[in-house]
Amino acid sequence: MCVKSTRPSRIRGLWSLALGLCSSVLLAESPLDRLTAIATDTPDTALRLDVLRGMEAALRGRNGITAPAGWNALESALAASPDAETRRLARNLGTAFGSPRALEALRNIASDGTAPTADRTAALDTLLRTRDAALVPLLQKLTAEPGVRATALRGLAGFDDAKTPAVLLAGFSQFNAAEQRDALNTLASRAAYARPLVEAVRGGKVPKAALTADLVRQLRSLKDATLAADLTQIWGVMKETSPDMSAEVERVKKLYWAGGSQPGDAPRGRVVFNQVCAQCHHLFDTGGNVGPDITGANRADLDYLLQNILFPNSVIPNEYLASTVETKDERVITGMIKSQDANGVTLQTANDMVTLPRSEIRKIEATAISMMPEGLIANLTEQQTRDLLYYLTRPGQVPLPVGTK
Ligand code: HEC
């Protein structure tokens, strides 16, 4: 049901809800003009906020919408408001309508080293949705600033720009572990970025161990013959499936118990977990949520752990199947499809939530493989494997080793 009346009911929650629900109809009928008129005319500031919020909810994630009549004057008035929320709404709506003033205000906030980090990040997120290539130099510059670095590093994956690989590789050694992973994911997102990355690994600027199994899989999905050959040289051949699962589980169990009655060291195991698992899994009190939280899983059972770590593809709940999406500007994204409609597709990747407009997508391929890659522990040393498994089977969190970043 869509609200037709020009005089909104004063039941504010319902009004916003109705606007949210009928967003597509709203666009087709363009009652944006009417809403803009209401927001302009009403002396009731609470109602005005409500109307603006409803418009924002209806237009979320959309850009390039023709500005409604009277928007320019309303935006000027709102931008001068003493209320920060009103100014924020003016910027976000202005951005959807392609208003140069709104875009400039957002760029100013994003660049402002004295503004709160949350505001800068929100401004960047909004700007990133406009997919304006003019944003690229700003994003490259912001990779030097710790507070907004992660957003900038992830955002750069959305643009094909020749300077990006050099910027990311130059800063790489100063990034923390999570930021390095963001940089690596961006570098692995298109063949033109991946070649300098592989060169950097070969030249020792990026440690070989940083190319974890999920990144290697992503790099292979770029289907570039030269890259594939380089990867085989650096990383070896990735075994896709093993003929005998139980033999492989037994082999690693024996390796584990070869470490004695206490085969591993839990704090060191936590470091390994942070390197190869934490980006996707929550365990105890920290970690990502690409995959399930494994705190409550059957961790004390070594067979369960090894079956899942060694053979993630043997049982995969549907919601964790990976898809690959190829964009018209040569980006390849591996992720789980979280939602899709006529306008676009939202994917959870290993390190980001990415929304792509349909118009930019060349191809979507469903795969039968898990978002959890195979071969995760293939490149660990025997002791690292023991430490990881020992940590995973502990009932509770342990401190990181002294001096760990
Ligand atoms: C790129 C993301 C990613 C990484 C990295 C990753 N996982 Fe997973 N993991 C998943 C996803 C997605 C699932 C669920 C689908 C499946 O079972 O394959 C999963 C499933 C699991 C499960 C089964 C959970 C259950 O509900 O029974 C375990 C255990 C597990 N992972 C452990 C690990 C460990 C240990 C590591 C590091 C060595 C790791 N994972 C690295 C994404 C990841």
Side-chain angles (χ1 to χ4, degrees):
M1 270 303 284
C2 199
V3 180
K4 296 275 184 196
S5 152
T6 46
R7 289 288 130 222
S9 113
R10 296 297 304 268
I11 309 170
R12 299 209 166 94
L14 284 179
W15 173 237
S16 309
L17 186 66
L19 282 171
L21 284 177
C22 62
S23 59
S24 52
V25 182
L26 185 92
L27 289 171
E29 293 185 352
S30 264
L32 283 172
D33 290 352
R34 265 179 280 149
L35 294 171
T36 303
I38 295 166
T40 305
D41 296 340
T42 182
D44 178 344
T45 51
L47 173 63
R48 186 172 71 185
L49 265 182
D50 237 18
V51 171
L52 294 172
R53 286 198 188 110
M55 288 169 78
E56 188 195 38
L59 299 178
R60 181 156 296 142
R62 317 256 177 110
N63 292 296
I65 294 162
T66 309
W71 173 256
N72 196 26
L74 177 60
E75 190 189 297
S76 300
L78 298 174
S81 163
D83 175 44
E85 171 69 354
T86 304
R87 293 197 304 274
R88 183 190 71 78
L89 286 160
R91 287 192 302 271
N92 283 1
L93 287 168
T95 306
F97 302 140
S99 149
R101 175 174 37 210
L103 290 171
E104 199 194 317
L106 285 170
R107 278 194 296 267
N108 287 341
I109 295 173
S111 334
D112 180 359
T114 65
T117 303
D119 292 358
R120 299 180 73 194
T121 307
L124 272 180
D125 282 335
T126 307
L127 283 167
L128 281 167
R129 278 201 296 275
T130 68
R131 316 190 71 75
D132 175 10
L135 190 57
V136 173
L138 176 61
L139 292 173
Q140 289 169 346
K141 198 174 121 230
L142 294 182
T143 62
E145 292 189 44
V148 284
R149 179 178 289 150
T151 309
L153 290 171
R154 281 184 229 133
L156 281 167
F159 302 92
D160 189 3
D161 185 271
K163 290 209 189 76
T164 293
V167 170
L168 301 197
L169 290 167
F172 192 79
S173 60
Q174 285 108 62
F175 300 165
N176 70 26
E179 293 160 354
Q180 289 192 338
R181 206 147 29 228
D182 285 331
L184 290 166
N185 275 296
T186 291
L187 288 164
S189 66
R190 36 183 102 235
Y193 289 5
R195 284 183 212 110
L197 168 63
V198 169
E199 278 316 306
V201 173
R202 216 200 290 274
K205 270 190 77 176
V206 170
K208 189 183 126 183
L211 287 192
T212 48
D214 56 312
L215 283 164
V216 173
R217 182 170 84 184
Q218 165 66 27
L219 289 167
R220 290 195 199 279
S221 77
L222 299 173
K223 300 203 173 74
D224 180 288
T226 320
L227 265 177
D230 286 347
L231 283 172
T232 304
Q233 196 192 36
I234 296 173
W235 225 77
V237 182
M238 203 165 20
K239 257 200 275 157
E240 289 292 338
T241 45
S242 164
D244 189 345
M245 291 182 18
S246 52
E248 182 62 5
V249 169
E250 286 311 313
R251 182 188 71 78
V252 182
K253 263 167 77 177
K254 250 169 81 186
L255 184 159
Y256 180 71
W257 289 118
S261 58
Q262 188 193 313
D265 175 82
R268 281 200 319 251
R270 184 175 170 191
V271 174
V272 180
F273 183 83
N274 284 349
Q275 283 162 359
V276 289
C277 322
Q279 74 178 90
C280 295
H281 289 289
H282 208 84
L283 175 57
F284 305 130
D285 46 5
T286 172
N289 47 25
V290 177
D293 185 329
I294 56 173
T295 314
N298 192 16
R299 284 179 297 102
D301 180 344
L302 211 50
D303 284 279
Y304 159 83
L305 277 179
L306 288 172
Q307 274 154 14
N308 277 287
I309 297 171
L310 297 169
F311 305 102
N313 294 317
S314 59
V315 188
I316 318 164
N318 269 336
E319 69 266 32
Y320 293 115
L321 285 174
S323 293
T324 49
V325 177
E326 218 177 287
T327 67
K328 289 179 183 161
D329 76 338
E330 309 300 333
R331 181 180 179 192
V332 178
I333 304 167
T334 307
M336 298 172 285
I337 296 183
K338 287 284 166 180
S339 65
Q340 53 180 328
D341 59 20
N343 297 299
V345 178
T346 299
L347 289 152
Q348 167 75 63
T349 72
N351 71 326
D352 201 5
M353 196 68 96
V354 180
T355 299
L356 294 165
R358 288 258 177 219
S359 57
E360 289 182 18
I361 296 174
R362 184 184 292 148
K363 195 164 81 184
I364 302 181
E365 254 176 323
T367 74
I369 54 170
S370 170
M371 264 304 280
M372 175 158 164
E374 291 194 336
L376 276 169
I377 62 169
N379 275 27
L380 299 181
T381 66
E382 295 193 347
Q383 192 53 50
Q384 280 177 318
T385 304
R386 289 187 201 107
D387 292 342
L388 173 67
L389 291 171
Y390 188 74
Y391 170 63
L392 285 170
T393 49
R394 292 311 89 198
Q397 186 59 291
V398 299
L400 284 163
V402 182
T404 311
K405 256 210 286 193

